[in-house]
Amino acid sequence: MKIVILMGSPNRKGSTAMLVGHFVNGATEAGHDCEVVDVCHMDIHPCTGCVRCGYEGPCVQKDDMQAVRAKLLQCDMVVFATPLYYYGMSAQLKMVVDRFCAFNSSLNSRRLKSALLTVAWNAADWTFDALTAHYKTLVRYIRLRDMGMVLGYGCGTTGMTRSSGYPEAAYRLGKGL
Ligand SMILES: Cc1cc2nc3c(=O)[nH]c(=O)nc-3n(C[C@H](O)[C@H](O)[C@H](O)COP(=O)(O)O)c2cc1C
């Protein structure tokens, strides 16, 4: 299976990256082909809402989203990886999700598998309520097939994350695919 990981943390060596690395190790060992797409360091701009795409067509913005779009339409699974920012996904990742607008129907018809990898400082039980509600809504709307979520409670620093069970959980999620 071809897996595209949308890496939504600007920290290349942070806690989100740690989960992504362990997920990739597991999935690669299971025979899958993983590509981490570092969306935070690409030239990707917010949707302008012009709808010249007609919700399915070329976007007027000729930026790196063209490459991300091609990758998503050729893969079997998409992984949303993000630190928790004000109880949602990072703006960098949300920008990519909003740009799905221009290939909404073709993305829908792919019936991609999906997963969520995320970390937060907070460890309260409600920490991920808003993010998981959003993710589950995307799964429903885009007709994704959710394969699992790793919700890293109390992962405020790489030290906290390393000593938690979440890297192992990400590895197992990848390995079990
Ligand atoms: C802009 C910003 C917003 C954040 N918002 C939250 C939040 O709402 N809740 C929370 O628990 N942690 C929040 N955090 C903490 C991060 O989610 C946490 O430190 C995470 O481990 C960072 O991941 P990274 O190492 O991949 O950057 C925030 C951090 C930043 C920089």
Side-chain angles (χ1 to χ4, degrees), residues 50 52-53 57-63 65-66 69 99 102:
C50 71
R52 294 258 285 283
C53 60
C59 179
V60 294
Q61 301 195 70
K62 305 303 176 200
D63 58 10
M65 194 59 205
Q66 292 179 105
R69 172 181 179 149
R99 296 284 298 278

Side-chain angles (χ1 to χ4, degrees), residues 5-10 15-17 19-20 39-40 79-94 97 115-120 128 131-132 134-135 150-152 155:
I5 299 110
L6 298 175
M7 167 53 173
S9 172
S15 295
T16 309
L19 295 196
V20 167
V39 298
C40 297
V79 177
F80 299 92
T82 182
L84 192 69
Y85 278 2
Y86 287 87
Y87 296 94
M89 65 178 67
S90 69
Q92 293 92 330
L93 182 59
K94 180 63 162 57
V97 171
L116 173 68
L117 303 178
T118 182
V119 285
F128 294 107
L131 179 64
T132 54
H134 187 195
Y135 170 71
V150 176
L151 310 178
C155 291

